[in-house]
Amino acid sequence: MKILTAVGTRAGLQFDFEEHLIGGACIDAHGIPIEDITLKACQEADAVFLGAVGGPKWDMLPGHLRPEKGLLGLRKAMGCYANLRPAKVFPALESASTLRPEVVRGIDLLVVRELTGGIYFGEPKTVDADCGIDTMLYTAPEVRRIAIVAFEAAGLRKKKLISVDKANVLASSQLWRKVVDDVAREYPDISLEHMLVDNAAMQLLRNPAQFDVIVTGNMFGDILSDEASMLTGSLGMLPSASLGGGAGLYEPVHGSAPDIAGQDKANPLAAIGSIALMLRHSFGLEEEAVAIESAIARVLDDGFRTLDILSDGDTLVSTTSMGDRVLSVLNGII
Ligand code: IPM
Ligand code: MG
C-alpha cells in the first residue's frame, strides 16, 4: 500500500482504497470466508489487491467454510480466468535458489494458469466418510480463452509456448490439447510444444531455461508455479495477476505463512511485485511498473534480504524494512 500510494503521488493520481475481509479474518468476524458485499465491491473496483488466506486455526472447517473458499469464490465472481505467474530470477538471487546458480541464471518464465475451471470447480464435488469426489472438467471455450491469453503473452516474449497437460490419462487433457492445437493455427509465428505434467515438473528442475511461457490448467498451474518459484530463490518472490474479467486481481503466489505470522519476517517482495503487475495490467502505468521492479532489483543488489532468501554475507532485514527500502529507492527513480 505504501508503494502504491507513492507511485500515485508521483504520477499525479489518487488511488481510493477500500478494505474488506477475506479468509480466516472474515470467518472470525462473520462466520463465512467472504461476504457478498465484498464480492460486489471487488467487482466494482478498478483493481483488487489481495493478501493471502488460510491457516491452521481454520483447517478443521468443512470445505465450503474454509478460508480458501473465499479466494476461489472471489476469483470466480470476478471472472479472473487467466492467472499470470511470472518467475524471474533476479541476478542478485542466483545463489539463493536450492538449484545451482548456472541452472537458474537468467531464468525468466511465465506460468499462465487457468484459474476458474478444472478440478477446483468441476461438479460433482463431494465427500463423505467413504468417498471423496472431485471432477476435472474443461469446456472448449474455457480452454480456448486461456490458450489465447498464453499465445498473446508468448507473442510479446520469446514466442515459445509449452502447454502442459496429462493427455495420456485424462479426458479433460485430451480436449485441452486439441483446443490448444486449434488456437495454435491462429498464431503461426509462435512455436508450440505439448508436455505431460509429470515431465514438466521434472524439466523445470532439470533445465528451466527451456521454458518461456507455460500454459496449463488450474491444478497443474498451482503445483508448477510453486515449483517454479523455487528457481527464483523463494516462494516469497512470486507475484501474480489474475485477469479476464473487468478488474484485475493481484496477489502474491504464496500463502499466509502462519508459522511466522506477526513476526515482521515475511518477504514482502511478491506482494510488491504484484503491485507492479497491477500498475502494468490494470492502469497502463508501464513505466511505474518497471520502476518498482528496478527498485526491487536494486535493494537485492545492495544485499538486503528477508529470512527466506538470506545467504552468508547478506544483510537480514524485516518485512517493514524491506518495504521501506524498496520505497526509498523507488522515490529516487520516479
Ligand atoms: C494459490 C493457492 C490457492 C490455490 C489456495 C490458497 C486456494 O495455493 O493461489 O496458488 O490453490 O489456487
Ligand atoms: Mg498455490
Side-chain angles (χ1 to χ4, degrees):
M1 300 290 280
K2 284 189 288 205
I3 303 277
L4 192 52
T5 306
V7 168
T9 309
R10 295 296 173 133
L13 295 167
Q14 192 200 319
F15 292 105
D16 293 325
F17 298 119
E18 226 182 82
E19 288 193 36
H20 290 266
L21 297 177
I22 187 171
C26 191
I27 293 171
D28 288 351
H30 306 293
I32 47 172
I34 194 162
E35 289 189 297
D36 285 344
I37 47 163
T38 304
L39 294 174
K40 190 161 178 288
C42 291
Q43 284 163 339
E44 286 169 2
D46 294 318
V48 175
F49 184 47
L50 189 120
V53 300
K57 182 174 172 193
W58 306 279
D59 269 355
M60 298 317 290
L61 291 171
H64 68 287
L65 281 179
R66 288 181 60 102
E68 290 80 0
K69 194 73 184 176
L71 177 54
L72 299 183
L74 178 62
R75 290 170 175 169
K76 191 81 168 175
M78 290 182 66
C80 292
Y81 64 84
N83 181 216
L84 311 183
R85 298 188 156 186
K88 195 170 173 173
V89 176
F90 286 91
L93 291 185
E94 276 170 8
S95 52
S97 172
T98 46
L99 297 182
R100 288 199 307 273
E102 63 268 30
V103 176
V104 302
R105 186 164 298 140
I107 293 301
D108 177 3
L109 60 84
L110 174 68
V111 178
V112 178
R113 169 189 178 193
E114 199 292 324
L115 201 61
T116 55
I119 196 166
Y120 273 51
F121 292 94
E123 296 285 347
K125 182 188 273 298
T126 59
V127 62
D128 61 28
D130 300 317
C131 181
I133 302 176
D134 291 286
T135 303
M136 185 119 150
L137 181 157
Y138 270 117
T139 64
E142 282 176 317
V143 181
R144 187 177 158 75
R145 66 185 184 177
I146 192 72
I148 289 172
V149 170
F151 278 103
E152 292 287 337
L156 296 173
R157 296 171 51 102
K158 295 188 201 122
K159 304 200 165 16
K160 186 171 179 227
L161 178 63
I162 296 186
S163 173
V164 173
D165 62 34
K166 188 70 185 173
N168 53 347
V169 176
L170 302 176
S172 57
S173 283
Q174 284 152 20
L175 176 87
W176 179 280
R177 198 171 273 219
K178 185 190 164 300
V179 174
V180 171
D181 275 334
D182 288 346
V183 176
R185 279 191 275 281
E186 295 158 34
Y187 294 89
D189 57 328
I190 310 285
S191 96
L192 169 69
E193 187 188 325
H194 296 285
M195 199 180 273
L196 296 172
V197 63
D198 47 352
N199 184 30
M202 184 271 282
Q203 296 295 341
L204 265 174
L205 301 184
R206 190 186 74 84
N207 176 20
Q210 70 188 290
F211 294 97
D212 179 32
V213 179
I214 296 173
V215 63
T216 191
N218 206 341
M219 183 167 67
F220 298 154
D222 177 44
I223 298 167
L224 294 179
S225 58
D226 266 36
E227 187 186 356
S229 78
M230 280 316 294
L231 306 170
T232 71
S234 165
L235 186 52
M237 293 300 299
L238 237 60
S240 90
S242 302
L243 311 173
L249 168 63
Y250 301 86
E251 49 173 318
V253 170
H254 61 70
S256 60
D259 54 325
I260 53 168
Q263 298 175 36
D264 206 15
K265 276 184 189 168
N267 186 344
L269 295 180
I272 295 173
S274 301
I275 290 290
L277 295 181
M278 178 191 289
L279 295 173
R280 175 171 294 132
H281 294 289
S282 284
F283 299 118
L285 295 172
E286 176 64 23
E287 223 173 281
E288 285 77 2
V290 171
I292 292 178
E293 287 157 354
S294 310
I296 293 174
R298 178 91 63 80
V299 170
L300 293 170
D301 285 343
D302 290 344
F304 298 107
R305 304 280 188 274
T306 43
L307 199 57
D308 56 318
I309 47 176
L310 186 71
S311 309
D312 286 351
D314 296 333
T315 310
L316 177 63
V317 293
S318 66
T319 310
T320 312
S321 159
M322 184 61 114
D324 287 341
R325 278 168 203 283
V326 175
L327 183 62
S328 89
V329 172
L330 184 66
N331 279 328
I333 300 179
I334 55 177

